[in-house]
Amino acid sequence: MDGASILIFSESSDALVELLTVGRALCTPAGGRVTAAAIGQTATALAEHCLARGADEALVLQTTAESFPGAEELVFGLRESVRAADPDTILIGATRIGADVVARLAQALEVPCASDCMTLCRDRDGNLEVERRIYGGRFTARQVLTGRPRIASLQPNRYPKAEPVQKPHGSIRQLAVKLPPPRVRTEVSSPRARSAVDVTKAEVIVGAGRGVKKVEDLALLDALAGALGGVLAGSRPLTGDVDWLPTDRRIGLSGQTVKPNLYIACGISGQIEHIVGMKGARTVVAINNDPKAPIHAEADYTIVGDLYEIVPAFLEACERAKRA
Amino acid sequence: MIETAGASPLNILVCVKFVPDPNQLQADANGRPDLARAPFRISTFDENAIEAALQLSARHGGRVYGASIVTGQMPPRDVLLRALAMGLEALYLIKDETALAADPYRLAVALAAATRAILGAEKIPSWDLFICGEASADQYNAQVGPRLAVALDLPAIPYATGLEVRQGRLVANRAVDGRSETLETSLPALVTVGTEINQARMPTVLQVMGAGRKPIRDIPLAELPGFDAQALGQRPSLRTIDVSAPPSARKRVTIEGKNAAELAAQLLSRLRADGEVKF
């Protein structure tokens, strides 16, 4: 094979420039090109963003759609870019939308796809070899994708973002696409209340889980976060099954991927959904009264105990230490 | 069949996966998952999928069927009965003894063929709705639902947190990437669901035993009408070459102490020593 051809796509510009880094790393010694696909009203800006960071080409899909296309239409547009770029590998950011798009695109192209990859490399035969977490995150699977193109999705906020290059060399190619009429109609779409804080940038995070019994009890964890100069976040049950915390404070596969220096998991059992989001933390503390909770295996320091006793005591210890 | 006001009954197919319970799966001496010793369960989100189907069926009438591709080891009978005891009309097990359908692409192709086979076997004119869990608890690819929609050329709404059928159309709520949405589409359609949509019912032991009278029907994968095993076997694949417990980079220190105050003090001194707490 002479040189790799990699197509990257994400509706999120942050995720896209991470894919650029990974795509570049997958290029063979014989060289290779990384092409970014962009669609929607911000397509040109996204394309320029990628070119400034070293992408070899950017495909701007021009559509007549007024709003950002749904997954089915996105897949239609992406198939056009696959035709144009003829990639051997497609990398897509695993946001919720991205995870939907990647699966549909793979089926439409009748090819395999590996979701939420932690590592990617080429094996000796030029196939794509990936590592993913399976069985609740307790095991790692090494998997090989054959065929062309093969597709992988990557968790956002895991890889370094590509930096601006001194001499951008890539150019924009316009693709006119007539998207099919949507079969799924959007009746209502409103931005959810955004938190004042960005958990992906926090140095300290206190994570609240199902072990928190009442919404009022979050005040206690919030106070601990405050004492440590950090922010409060939550697992999927607290940000989805109940609306105790905004969804942009959800740590996990269906939410944010975070890399704080210190992560304190309170009453969180440790499902894969959650672990994937917080495994980049430098130091992890788990407070959970169930000695069998999987979170303990993912922690540097574990306390098997009732968070309603441990957290107030720890908060008090912190405040005493600050005064001293 | 009971019809509720103005609504036509719905034929719903739920895709169900039976998985070794990830929370009870241990590593063997070689660091590999000890699948033989882990108890099986209905994959978490699939329980929510069954529940969502049953709730729609209670409102609109109609029947809910289950389809599962069984690769390798047969799930224990009590776990199969659990799915039936929740309220499925019948459970179809598509037996894949050669592990042909072991990746999401092949699974979706096999399931698409199964949906047609079950229609024929049950003498149902057409499916109205397919419900899948958002991802399986074991592999967590989160691909099969959207892939099946493409394979069947159906509109799909992943991540539904609320479902309604109004005048023969599907209305779904969801919260995705910072937005709250209400989406609408025609039937037949496919939706995927997670834990947000409902609290799945827990059948009693008596109900599980009683479900023994309900049909569990086996179909060998190769016998699905329109399913070309040989052609599929030659398609590119996602192949697992190794599964192992990753060496933990965590310190995994259990903090000991007689009471909460002692535990808290211990933890604080550890975090200060590591430089994670600066006071």
Side-chain angles (χ1 to χ4, degrees):
Chain A
M1 187 169 44
D2 43 86
S5 168
I6 292 157
L7 181 70
I8 60 174
F9 170 78
S10 179
E11 75 287 357
S12 141
S13 67
D14 281 351
L16 195 56
V17 290
E18 287 182 43
L19 298 180
L20 188 49
T21 305
V22 178
R24 188 58 72 208
L26 279 177
C27 286
T28 56
R33 36 195 296 118
V34 180
T35 305
I39 190 167
Q41 294 111 317
T42 57
T44 305
L46 269 182
E48 281 165 359
H49 195 66
C50 285
L51 293 177
R53 283 159 183 76
D56 299 294
E57 189 178 33
L59 298 173
V60 169
L61 291 129
Q62 293 171 311
T63 73
T64 49
E66 280 168 27
S67 53
F68 192 73
E72 192 164 26
E73 298 82 78
L74 277 176
V75 168
F76 186 92
L78 281 174
R79 291 185 73 179
E80 294 292 321
S81 18
V82 171
R83 262 176 226 123
D86 187 26
D88 60 66
T89 304
I90 303 173
L91 305 177
I92 293 189
T95 57
R96 297 275 267 176
I97 295 289
D100 178 13
V101 164
V102 81
R104 295 190 204 217
L105 177 67
Q107 193 68 21
L109 297 171
E110 298 185 82
V111 296
C113 168
S115 308
D116 304 310
C117 301
M118 300 190 296
T119 67
L120 299 92
C121 65
R122 272 174 204 282
D123 72 6
R124 260 174 301 169
D125 304 321
N127 293 318
L128 188 63
E129 184 176 318
V130 305
E131 284 184 311
R132 315 178 44 241
R133 293 201 145 201
I134 61 169
Y135 295 124
R138 278 170 267 308
F139 292 88
T140 300
R142 266 201 307 140
Q143 300 179 319
V144 172
L145 292 105
T146 59
R148 177 187 176 117
R150 53 275 167 123
I151 309 184
S153 75
L154 290 83
Q155 275 303 110
N157 205 23
R158 273 193 72 99
Y159 303 89
K161 294 178 174 53
E163 297 289 340
V165 293
Q166 290 211 318
K167 286 187 190 149
H169 63 280
S171 57
I172 288 182
R173 178 154 43 131
Q174 306 278 352
L175 281 183
V177 182
K178 193 172 181 308
L179 297 182
R183 291 195 284 185
V184 175
R185 215 167 47 84
T186 304
E187 284 193 344
V188 181
S189 175
S190 52
R192 291 170 71 89
R194 288 183 71 92
S195 306
V197 290
D198 180 354
V199 292
T200 65
K201 300 202 166 65
E203 290 189 355
V204 176
I205 296 177
V206 174
R210 222 192 281 261
V212 177
K213 297 191 186 85
K214 297 194 302 292
V215 64
E216 301 85 68
D217 301 341
L218 286 176
L220 173 65
L221 300 186
D222 199 32
L224 177 60
L228 296 167
V231 301
L232 178 64
S235 63
R236 183 162 173 171
L238 295 206
T239 56
D241 297 3
V242 294
D243 255 337
W244 292 0
L245 284 164
T247 42
D248 60 358
R249 293 213 196 183
R250 177 187 300 175
I251 310 295
L253 211 43
S254 63
Q256 312 277 11
T257 308
V258 295
K259 293 180 197 158
N261 296 336
L262 175 61
Y263 185 77
I264 304 184
C266 302
I268 289 177
S269 65
Q271 302 299 312
I272 187 173
E273 155 71 32
H274 186 73
I275 300 301
V276 169
M278 48 62 81
K279 68 181 286 288
R282 191 167 66 197
T283 298
V284 175
V285 175
I287 301 170
N288 195 303
N289 57 10
D290 176 7
K292 285 189 181 157
I295 190 76
H296 294 305
E298 303 289 339
D300 295 291
Y301 301 111
T302 77
I303 296 184
V304 178
D306 185 351
L307 75 92
Y308 286 89
E309 290 172 21
I310 307 297
V311 173
F314 185 55
L315 179 59
E316 197 190 310
C318 287
E319 274 163 359
R320 209 177 317 122
K322 277 179 157 177
R323 284 195 300 269
Chain B
M1 187 165 300
I2 304 157
E3 279 204 28
T4 51
S8 42
L10 299 169
N11 291 312
I12 307 176
L13 185 65
V14 182
C15 300
V16 183
K17 190 171 185 184
F18 300 97
V19 299
D21 187 343
N23 285 341
Q24 298 191 53
L25 184 59
Q26 304 294 324
D28 66 14
N30 301 316
R32 304 290 187 279
D34 194 349
L35 296 171
R37 282 186 25 215
F40 266 66
R41 59 164 298 154
I42 304 171
S43 184
T44 333
F45 297 151
D46 297 354
E47 288 186 339
N48 299 103
I50 296 174
E51 180 64 41
L54 293 171
Q55 289 185 12
L56 279 175
S57 159
R59 236 174 296 150
H60 298 276
R63 293 188 169 161
V64 180
Y65 296 87
S68 185
I69 311 279
V70 175
T71 297
Q73 200 185 335
M74 188 69 178
R77 189 169 158 80
D78 63 305
V79 183
L80 303 176
L81 291 185
R82 247 186 102 76
L84 285 164
M86 285 182 76
L88 297 180
E89 207 72 35
L91 177 62
Y92 281 81
L93 300 179
I94 314 301
K95 291 189 147 173
D96 174 23
E97 274 160 6
T98 58
L100 177 69
D103 80 20
Y105 166 60
R106 292 156 180 234
L107 262 174
V109 173
L111 277 170
T115 66
R116 292 186 281 265
I118 300 169
L119 270 191
E122 295 291 335
K123 300 189 172 57
I124 300 169
S126 62
W127 294 113
D128 297 300
L129 185 62
F130 299 89
I131 309 185
C132 300
E134 175 185 312
S136 63
D138 57 346
Q139 296 294 320
Y140 223 99
N141 288 301
Q143 292 179 29
V144 171
R147 276 181 178 271
L148 180 59
V150 172
L152 295 172
D153 190 21
L154 292 177
I157 304 181
Y159 318 122
T161 57
L163 288 176
E164 251 185 84
V165 173
R166 283 188 219 146
Q167 281 118 34
R169 294 182 72 83
L170 180 74
V171 180
N173 294 322
R174 64 178 197 174
V176 169
D177 296 336
R179 302 192 76 81
S180 292
E181 300 179 323
T182 304
L183 305 174
E184 191 248 31
T185 192
S186 57
L187 294 176
L190 182 144
V191 297
T192 75
V193 301
T195 50
E196 291 82 4
I197 193 163
N198 55 42
Q199 182 92 49
R201 66 194 65 187
M202 303 252 286
T204 63
V205 177
L206 225 60
Q207 286 169 321
V208 172
M209 282 161 56
R213 286 189 298 273
K214 288 188 166 185
I216 298 178
R217 300 201 171 101
D218 293 354
I219 307 179
L221 179 66
E223 287 175 21
L224 289 175
F227 181 78
D228 188 345
Q230 214 172 3
L232 194 64
Q234 282 160 12
R235 298 288 311 160
S237 66
L238 173 68
R239 195 163 44 88
T240 299
I241 48 179
D242 188 29
V243 176
S244 59
S248 176
R250 297 291 171 199
K251 295 194 187 85
R252 298 176 73 166
V253 172
T254 304
I255 306 284
E256 310 274 1
K258 286 198 288 289
N259 52 43
E262 253 186 60
L263 288 165
Q266 281 287 329
L267 176 61
L268 183 58
S269 83
R270 293 276 192 166
L271 293 177
R272 288 168 103 175
D274 289 352
E276 298 297 15
V277 170
K278 303 284 189 308
F279 44 78

